[in-house]
Amino acid sequence: MRFANRLQAATARNNSLLCVGLDPDTRRFPKHLGSDPSAIVEFNRQIIEATIDLACCYKPNLGFYMAYGAAGLTALAETCAIIDHRVPVLLDAKVGDINTTSEAYARGYFEELDVDAVTVHPYMGLDSIEPFLKYEDRGAFILIKTSNPGSKDVQDLRLAGSEERPLYEHVAAQANAWNARYGNCGLVVGATWPGELSAIRATCPNLSILVPGVGTQGGDLEAAVQAGLDAQGAGILVNSSRGIIYAGSGEDFARASRRVALELRDRMNAVRTASDPA
Amino acid sequence: MRFANRLQAATARNNSLLCVGLDPDTRRFPKHLGSDPSAIVEFNRQIIEATIDLACCYKPNLGFYMAYGAAGLTALAETCAIIDHRVPVLLDAKVGDINTTSEAYARGYFEELDVDAVTVHPYMGLDSIEPFLKYEDRGAFILIKTSNPGSKDVQDLRLAGSEERPLYEHVAAQANAWNARYGNCGLVVGATWPGELSAIRATCPNLSILVPGVGTQGGDLEAAVQAGLDAQGAGILVNSSRGIIYAGSGEDFARASRRVALELRDRMNAVRTASDPA
């Protein structure tokens, strides 16, 4: 089954566009779990079991595991095993290298870790992304306009041509063309840029868009959902990491996470209902 | 001590601009080592001991370790321990994420793994690279014009303005400005583009440039060295991975690796001598 279909199935089953970011930082863990890297698995397990019926996707960010070296990567593998394909896993690895190296990463992420999709950098071009796209049942989400302030440094540069369109629009158009060929491209557009998100949705009507940056990073949830929804009232994965996983700090932290996840999901669904032309 | 100084010291001590790429693929290992991920450490150990007096840097590419999951990352840590700072280690991780995530990666790479430098993607802008630059004694090599054919897709796009200069030239100028502030930026420019390398060296006279892509990827060694040398006849790390590490296939494979490394080093030094104005 295609990644897009697995995502649609999870969205339908849980009535959810919410992506839960699993970005463990042991320094922020509830005291009773301790701060050893081995606590990561227990922390993630409780978050997952408290939100598995509310999420359309889980997004572990590789950086928060690499911070702990091999122990972190082991914790990531155990986290994926806990999710056990009940909901798709999008590994936020922001990967991109020459062809043979991307093939090595793809083996590690799609075969060893067995995640459903990854995020990729576009700077090195199609041949750096193709090794991921060749796994027909997996997905590759291409960075277009990222949520951080520094995204202006390169992504907003204007290209030569009568329209002088920004680089990120060109990359979005490329991704749309690559998707026509491979069928498993997605996009990454920060919730902090609803105007840009709306323009990108117009250019790429059928692509799934990962939308990070609500919550701690300051993106407006309702504006982002409104801007990103496709014609079917779906097509986006709106990610919240810190806002959900650090909602509580006591022994019942996962209950607080569930409360926030439920609220985010329902607020997004309210926008979907209001936008529904039917 | 600054990364640039450690690199200069290794270059002077070993009279070398050669960077040895440690990109293990167990499928290509000499038969007697076996193909278990645990063979990676023994393979690397023999390559390292056979070349440690010929290299100015070692460059493990993270992808070839991530291909084996946590076992691969453990092998990478053991490889770094074998090198034990005798020669600097540049981790080719091609990393780049929002600020807090790049901080997590920096902890993993600079504190846990304790490598001397990393490669970074520029697409997300300065705030995605800054967490690495804040480690004053480490380095961050920014992708400018990569060795792969697909580098044309994004890096060669022409920017608006009277000169219509390509994106990679703009990024090189940005990197030069960032270096003025932090002092520890390097660049990555493929040996497959000697004309572009020469133009980038003119724009960035004082930055270290990692030059991958000689050998298997088809870059001309002499042309690349000629194009990349700085005014002191140094300033480049010319990388060869597969050409060196798979030079032999028998029990004496490391001897074959040494032979190729020595030849590459001496060919580069011949260009340096011929270019020396003195």
Side-chain angles (χ1 to χ4, degrees):
Chain A
M1 195 195 271
R2 287 262 178 186
F3 172 73
N5 299 120
R6 292 202 297 283
L7 186 62
Q8 279 161 10
T11 289
R13 191 171 61 247
N14 292 339
N15 188 27
S16 174
L17 301 176
L18 177 65
C19 179
V20 175
L22 298 171
D23 300 352
D25 180 341
T26 57
R27 299 169 302 187
R28 299 187 64 177
F29 277 8
K31 289 283 169 292
H32 74 285
L33 291 180
S35 60
D36 191 81
S38 63
I40 292 173
V41 178
E42 183 54 26
F43 179 79
N44 284 351
R45 183 197 311 277
Q46 293 198 36
I47 300 283
I48 291 162
E49 298 309 343
T51 55
I52 193 102
D53 61 325
L54 300 175
C56 68
C57 193
Y58 286 101
K59 183 178 78 64
N61 187 309
L62 183 66
F64 290 91
Y65 300 87
M66 293 302 274
Y68 305 98
L73 208 55
T74 299
L76 175 58
E78 290 178 26
T79 299
C80 292
I82 289 166
I83 298 170
D84 192 24
H85 303 282
R86 289 179 286 170
V87 161
V89 174
L90 167 53
L91 178 64
D92 198 355
K94 296 191 173 69
V95 63
D97 207 312
I98 66 167
N99 205 271
T100 47
T101 309
S102 281
E103 282 171 8
Y105 278 114
R107 287 200 304 276
Y109 298 156
F110 289 158
E111 298 181 24
E112 286 290 318
L113 266 180
D114 199 12
V115 299
D116 298 279
V118 293
T119 55
V120 295
H121 268 279
Y123 191 71
M124 293 182 66
L126 177 59
D127 62 15
S128 70
I129 298 173
E130 247 173 348
F132 300 98
L133 300 177
K134 283 183 174 167
Y135 286 75
E136 289 184 8
D137 61 338
R138 312 296 166 110
F141 282 71
I142 300 168
L143 302 183
I144 303 295
K145 171 68 182 163
T146 55
S147 57
N148 59 318
S151 69
K152 70 179 185 325
D153 294 343
V154 173
Q155 296 161 30
D156 288 1
L157 293 172
R158 299 267 161 190
L159 298 183
S162 55
E163 294 176 48
E164 298 204 349
R165 66 178 175 169
L167 174 62
Y168 71 81
E169 279 190 19
H170 182 91
V171 178
Q174 278 182 326
N176 208 35
W178 297 339
N179 187 61
R181 195 155 136 204
Y182 289 98
N184 52 356
C185 294
L187 308 176
V188 182
V189 182
T192 42
W193 317 107
E196 289 82 345
L197 176 54
S198 179
I200 291 163
R201 171 53 77 202
T203 319
C204 307
N206 302 315
L207 270 66
S208 292
I209 306 182
L210 168 66
V211 184
V214 300
T216 317
Q217 291 183 64
D220 181 287
L221 182 70
E222 279 77 9
V225 173
Q226 189 70 54
L229 285 176
D230 66 14
Q232 288 73 46
I236 50 173
L237 305 76
V238 181
N239 185 76
S240 176
S241 302
R242 287 168 277 180
I244 292 176
I245 67 177
Y246 302 123
S249 56
E251 294 200 11
D252 62 345
F253 69 98
R255 195 179 301 183
S257 297
R258 179 177 175 80
R259 216 160 30 232
V260 173
L262 185 62
E263 190 211 326
L264 287 172
R265 184 193 72 157
D266 290 350
R267 279 172 58 198
M268 287 190 253
N269 285 342
V271 179
R272 295 167 82 186
T273 307
S275 308
D276 191 348
Chain B
M1 196 195 272
R2 286 262 177 187
F3 172 74
N5 299 120
R6 292 202 296 285
L7 187 62
Q8 277 161 11
T11 289
R13 192 170 61 247
N14 292 338
N15 188 28
S16 176
L17 300 176
L18 176 66
C19 178
V20 175
L22 298 172
D23 300 353
D25 181 341
T26 57
R27 299 170 302 186
R28 300 187 65 177
F29 277 9
K31 289 283 169 291
H32 74 285
L33 291 180
S35 60
D36 191 81
S38 63
I40 293 172
V41 178
E42 183 54 27
F43 179 80
N44 283 350
R45 183 199 309 278
Q46 294 198 36
I47 300 282
I48 290 162
E49 298 309 341
T51 57
I52 192 103
D53 61 326
L54 301 175
C56 68
C57 192
Y58 286 101
K59 183 177 81 63
N61 187 308
L62 184 66
F64 290 91
Y65 299 86
M66 294 301 274
Y68 305 97
L73 208 55
T74 299
L76 175 58
E78 291 178 25
T79 299
C80 293
I82 289 167
I83 298 170
D84 192 25
H85 303 282
R86 289 179 285 170
V87 159
V89 174
L90 166 53
L91 179 64
D92 197 356
K94 295 190 174 69
V95 63
D97 208 312
I98 66 166
N99 205 272
T100 46
T101 308
S102 281
E103 283 171 9
Y105 278 114
R107 287 200 303 278
Y109 297 156
F110 290 157
E111 299 181 25
E112 287 289 318
L113 266 181
D114 198 14
V115 299
D116 298 279
V118 293
T119 55
V120 295
H121 267 279
Y123 192 72
M124 293 181 65
L126 177 59
D127 62 16
S128 70
I129 298 174
E130 248 174 347
F132 300 98
L133 299 177
K134 284 183 174 167
Y135 286 76
E136 289 184 9
D137 61 338
R138 312 297 165 112
F141 282 71
I142 300 168
L143 301 182
I144 302 296
K145 171 68 181 164
T146 55
S147 58
N148 59 318
S151 69
K152 70 178 186 324
D153 294 344
V154 174
Q155 298 161 29
D156 288 1
L157 292 172
R158 300 265 163 192
L159 298 183
S162 55
E163 295 176 46
E164 297 204 348
R165 65 177 177 172
L167 174 61
Y168 72 81
E169 278 189 20
H170 182 91
V171 178
Q174 279 182 326
N176 208 35
W178 297 339
N179 188 61
R181 195 153 135 206
Y182 290 98
N184 52 355
C185 293
L187 309 175
V188 182
V189 182
T192 43
W193 317 108
E196 289 81 346
L197 175 54
S198 179
I200 291 163
R201 170 52 76 204
T203 319
C204 307
N206 302 315
L207 270 65
S208 292
I209 307 181
L210 168 67
V211 183
V214 301
T216 316
Q217 290 184 64
D220 181 286
L221 181 70
E222 279 77 9
V225 173
Q226 189 71 55
L229 285 176
D230 65 13
Q232 287 74 47
I236 49 174
L237 306 76
V238 180
N239 185 74
S240 176
S241 302
R242 288 169 276 180
I244 292 175
I245 66 178
Y246 302 124
S249 57
E251 293 199 13
D252 62 344
F253 70 97
R255 195 178 301 180
S257 296
R258 179 176 176 81
R259 218 162 25 234
V260 172
L262 185 62
E263 190 212 323
L264 287 172
R265 184 193 73 157
D266 290 349
R267 280 171 59 197
M268 286 191 254
N269 285 341
V271 179
R272 295 169 81 186
T273 307
S275 307
D276 192 347

